[in-house]
Amino acid sequence: MSKPVVLVTAADLAPQALALLQDFEVVYAGKTPTEDDIVALCGRYKPVAIIVRYGGVGVRAMDADPALRVISKHGSGTDTIDKAAAQARGVAVRAAAGANAAAVAEQALALLLACAKSVPKLNTRMHTGHWDKATHKSLELGGRTIGLVGLGAIGLRFARMAQAMEMRVLGFDPYARVLPPGVEAVDLATLWRSSDVISFHCPLTDENRNMLDRATLAQCKPGVIVVNTARGGLIDEAALLEALHSGQVASAGLDSFAMEPMGAGHPFQGEERIVLSPHIGGVTADAYVKMGVGAVENLLAVLRGESLQALGA
């Protein structure tokens, strides 16, 4: 009897995660799988579970795979999975929430410091023979206010980092029930108006898409710093660029974008006050293991639960 199949929408999975899948055949979709690739593999192998690393899983893939029981995200963001279609078909959707919290929070801090201290610009200047000590003034973060949009595992970890730098921390999250000491719950209008730094740590939904746009940027403090290690669709990129050129935004540190991968000729390229990284906030050796193991444990929990139910347990 052949083993049930688990499809991984990537070219690899951590050995620690693979060790948990000994009772399954693991099929990889490759480094950059397209929707058509995933649909074809679902039709060919009929996996009982999909681990989503790259690409997305939509209606076509689910309809090609009547055996599918669970879609497990290799990370925390499930916006690349059609959750409504999954629910309609009785397919569970799970996320490895918190597995990459340390990695992403550290990337947010790196981007914030790079912006506040002009690290990329000064590095470039130094490498071309300049010494700007007499003319450069960086920003001191202690005593300033940071507004966090999203207070899950990543947002709260970043909040502790900001508190360690003696920043005032404001937070908006309609789902957060109990906040730790020193994190002030505010509405979005207050957060836009009061923050010297705004950092995004929330999932992307239809309701919050482009939540930072021309209107909300106009409500912000002049010279605000914007950091985004969540999802690119949270920010209207054209509006951000306009605000940067006008001085309303002093600088931005961005790890996620509306369209990924970013192609050549993107308007952000060449802007020295925008610090860019290729959506690698959660990509560390440690997080790779944690997310892989978390994704596998989540899918096994669903499959085991179904097995128990089938046995009448």
PDB file of all heavy atoms in Angstrom, residues 14-27:
ATOM      1  N   ALA A  14      13.089  21.410   6.321  1.00  0.00           N
ATOM      2  CA  ALA A  14      14.108  21.128   7.330  1.00  0.00           C
ATOM      3  C   ALA A  14      14.145  19.633   7.657  1.00  0.00           C
ATOM      4  O   ALA A  14      13.096  18.985   7.764  1.00  0.00           O
ATOM      5  CB  ALA A  14      13.828  21.930   8.598  1.00  0.00           C
ATOM      6  N   PRO A  15      15.342  19.068   7.827  1.00  0.00           N
ATOM      7  CA  PRO A  15      15.453  17.637   8.173  1.00  0.00           C
ATOM      8  C   PRO A  15      14.649  17.268   9.417  1.00  0.00           C
ATOM      9  O   PRO A  15      14.077  16.172   9.490  1.00  0.00           O
ATOM     10  CB  PRO A  15      16.958  17.455   8.413  1.00  0.00           C
ATOM     11  CG  PRO A  15      17.607  18.535   7.626  1.00  0.00           C
ATOM     12  CD  PRO A  15      16.663  19.704   7.670  1.00  0.00           C
ATOM     13  N   GLN A  16      14.594  18.178  10.383  1.00  0.00           N
ATOM     14  CA  GLN A  16      13.828  17.903  11.609  1.00  0.00           C
ATOM     15  C   GLN A  16      12.338  17.755  11.300  1.00  0.00           C
ATOM     16  O   GLN A  16      11.632  17.001  11.979  1.00  0.00           O
ATOM     17  CB  GLN A  16      14.053  19.019  12.627  1.00  0.00           C
ATOM     18  CG  GLN A  16      15.481  19.132  13.136  1.00  0.00           C
ATOM     19  CD  GLN A  16      16.348  20.034  12.288  1.00  0.00           C
ATOM     20  OE1 GLN A  16      16.105  20.219  11.096  1.00  0.00           O
ATOM     21  NE2 GLN A  16      17.362  20.624  12.905  1.00  0.00           N
ATOM     22  N   ALA A  17      11.852  18.511  10.305  1.00  0.00           N
ATOM     23  CA  ALA A  17      10.451  18.395   9.895  1.00  0.00           C
ATOM     24  C   ALA A  17      10.229  17.120   9.094  1.00  0.00           C
ATOM     25  O   ALA A  17       9.239  16.407   9.283  1.00  0.00           O
ATOM     26  CB  ALA A  17      10.041  19.624   9.087  1.00  0.00           C
ATOM     27  N   LEU A  18      11.166  16.825   8.191  1.00  0.00           N
ATOM     28  CA  LEU A  18      11.049  15.611   7.387  1.00  0.00           C
ATOM     29  C   LEU A  18      11.021  14.356   8.248  1.00  0.00           C
ATOM     30  O   LEU A  18      10.336  13.383   7.921  1.00  0.00           O
ATOM     31  CB  LEU A  18      12.218  15.526   6.410  1.00  0.00           C
ATOM     32  CG  LEU A  18      12.115  16.358   5.138  1.00  0.00           C
ATOM     33  CD1 LEU A  18      13.409  16.270   4.352  1.00  0.00           C
ATOM     34  CD2 LEU A  18      10.937  15.892   4.296  1.00  0.00           C
ATOM     35  N   ALA A  19      11.751  14.383   9.353  1.00  0.00           N
ATOM     36  CA  ALA A  19      11.796  13.221  10.238  1.00  0.00           C
ATOM     37  C   ALA A  19      10.420  12.871  10.797  1.00  0.00           C
ATOM     38  O   ALA A  19      10.166  11.717  11.161  1.00  0.00           O
ATOM     39  CB  ALA A  19      12.780  13.472  11.381  1.00  0.00           C
ATOM     40  N   LEU A  20       9.537  13.860  10.859  1.00  0.00           N
ATOM     41  CA  LEU A  20       8.183  13.636  11.370  1.00  0.00           C
ATOM     42  C   LEU A  20       7.242  13.090  10.296  1.00  0.00           C
ATOM     43  O   LEU A  20       6.097  12.748  10.596  1.00  0.00           O
ATOM     44  CB  LEU A  20       7.616  14.939  11.931  1.00  0.00           C
ATOM     45  CG  LEU A  20       8.416  15.603  13.056  1.00  0.00           C
ATOM     46  CD1 LEU A  20       7.805  16.962  13.410  1.00  0.00           C
ATOM     47  CD2 LEU A  20       8.459  14.705  14.280  1.00  0.00           C
ATOM     48  N   LEU A  21       7.728  13.048   9.048  1.00  0.00           N
ATOM     49  CA  LEU A  21       6.872  12.639   7.929  1.00  0.00           C
ATOM     50  C   LEU A  21       7.282  11.281   7.359  1.00  0.00           C
ATOM     51  O   LEU A  21       7.100  11.011   6.175  1.00  0.00           O
ATOM     52  CB  LEU A  21       6.933  13.707   6.825  1.00  0.00           C
ATOM     53  CG  LEU A  21       6.274  15.046   7.158  1.00  0.00           C
ATOM     54  CD1 LEU A  21       6.564  16.066   6.054  1.00  0.00           C
ATOM     55  CD2 LEU A  21       4.759  14.885   7.337  1.00  0.00           C
ATOM     56  N   GLN A  22       7.797  10.422   8.207  1.00  0.00           N
ATOM     57  CA  GLN A  22       8.272   9.116   7.733  1.00  0.00           C
ATOM     58  C   GLN A  22       7.154   8.235   7.185  1.00  0.00           C
ATOM     59  O   GLN A  22       7.404   7.343   6.375  1.00  0.00           O
ATOM     60  CB  GLN A  22       9.006   8.393   8.868  1.00  0.00           C
ATOM     61  CG  GLN A  22      10.288   9.065   9.288  1.00  0.00           C
ATOM     62  CD  GLN A  22      10.985   8.343  10.448  1.00  0.00           C
ATOM     63  OE1 GLN A  22      10.443   7.396  11.007  1.00  0.00           O
ATOM     64  NE2 GLN A  22      12.171   8.806  10.791  1.00  0.00           N
ATOM     65  N   ASP A  23       5.928   8.494   7.607  1.00  0.00           N
ATOM     66  CA  ASP A  23       4.805   7.685   7.136  1.00  0.00           C
ATOM     67  C   ASP A  23       4.174   8.246   5.878  1.00  0.00           C
ATOM     68  O   ASP A  23       3.123   7.767   5.428  1.00  0.00           O
ATOM     69  CB  ASP A  23       3.738   7.578   8.229  1.00  0.00           C
ATOM     70  CG  ASP A  23       4.242   6.820   9.448  1.00  0.00           C
ATOM     71  OD1 ASP A  23       5.122   5.952   9.282  1.00  0.00           O
ATOM     72  OD2 ASP A  23       3.773   7.112  10.566  1.00  0.00           O
ATOM     73  N   PHE A  24       4.816   9.272   5.289  1.00  0.00           N
ATOM     74  CA  PHE A  24       4.271   9.936   4.107  1.00  0.00           C
ATOM     75  C   PHE A  24       5.314   9.992   3.004  1.00  0.00           C
ATOM     76  O   PHE A  24       6.521   9.962   3.256  1.00  0.00           O
ATOM     77  CB  PHE A  24       3.839  11.366   4.453  1.00  0.00           C
ATOM     78  CG  PHE A  24       2.753  11.459   5.485  1.00  0.00           C
ATOM     79  CD1 PHE A  24       3.056  11.401   6.844  1.00  0.00           C
ATOM     80  CD2 PHE A  24       1.424  11.608   5.110  1.00  0.00           C
ATOM     81  CE1 PHE A  24       2.062  11.482   7.804  1.00  0.00           C
ATOM     82  CE2 PHE A  24       0.422  11.689   6.060  1.00  0.00           C
ATOM     83  CZ  PHE A  24       0.738  11.625   7.408  1.00  0.00           C
ATOM     84  N   GLU A  25       4.843  10.086   1.784  1.00  0.00           N
ATOM     85  CA  GLU A  25       5.712  10.416   0.661  1.00  0.00           C
ATOM     86  C   GLU A  25       5.703  11.942   0.515  1.00  0.00           C
ATOM     87  O   GLU A  25       4.630  12.548   0.440  1.00  0.00           O
ATOM     88  CB  GLU A  25       5.210   9.766  -0.630  1.00  0.00           C
ATOM     89  CG  GLU A  25       6.057  10.119  -1.850  1.00  0.00           C
ATOM     90  CD  GLU A  25       5.495   9.584  -3.145  1.00  0.00           C
ATOM     91  OE1 GLU A  25       4.519   8.797  -3.086  1.00  0.00           O
ATOM     92  OE2 GLU A  25       6.012   9.967  -4.213  1.00  0.00           O
ATOM     93  N   VAL A  26       6.871  12.540   0.484  1.00  0.00           N
ATOM     94  CA  VAL A  26       6.969  13.996   0.382  1.00  0.00           C
ATOM     95  C   VAL A  26       7.331  14.367  -1.053  1.00  0.00           C
ATOM     96  O   VAL A  26       8.324  13.882  -1.608  1.00  0.00           O
ATOM     97  CB  VAL A  26       8.019  14.555   1.358  1.00  0.00           C
ATOM     98  CG1 VAL A  26       8.132  16.082   1.210  1.00  0.00           C
ATOM     99  CG2 VAL A  26       7.655  14.194   2.791  1.00  0.00           C
ATOM    100  N   VAL A  27       6.511  15.249  -1.643  1.00  0.00           N
ATOM    101  CA  VAL A  27       6.727  15.723  -3.013  1.00  0.00           C
ATOM    102  C   VAL A  27       6.991  17.221  -2.954  1.00  0.00           C
ATOM    103  O   VAL A  27       6.260  17.962  -2.281  1.00  0.00           O
ATOM    104  CB  VAL A  27       5.495  15.433  -3.897  1.00  0.00           C
ATOM    105  CG1 VAL A  27       5.654  16.077  -5.273  1.00  0.00           C
ATOM    106  CG2 VAL A  27       5.277  13.931  -4.033  1.00  0.00           C
TER     107      VAL A  27
END
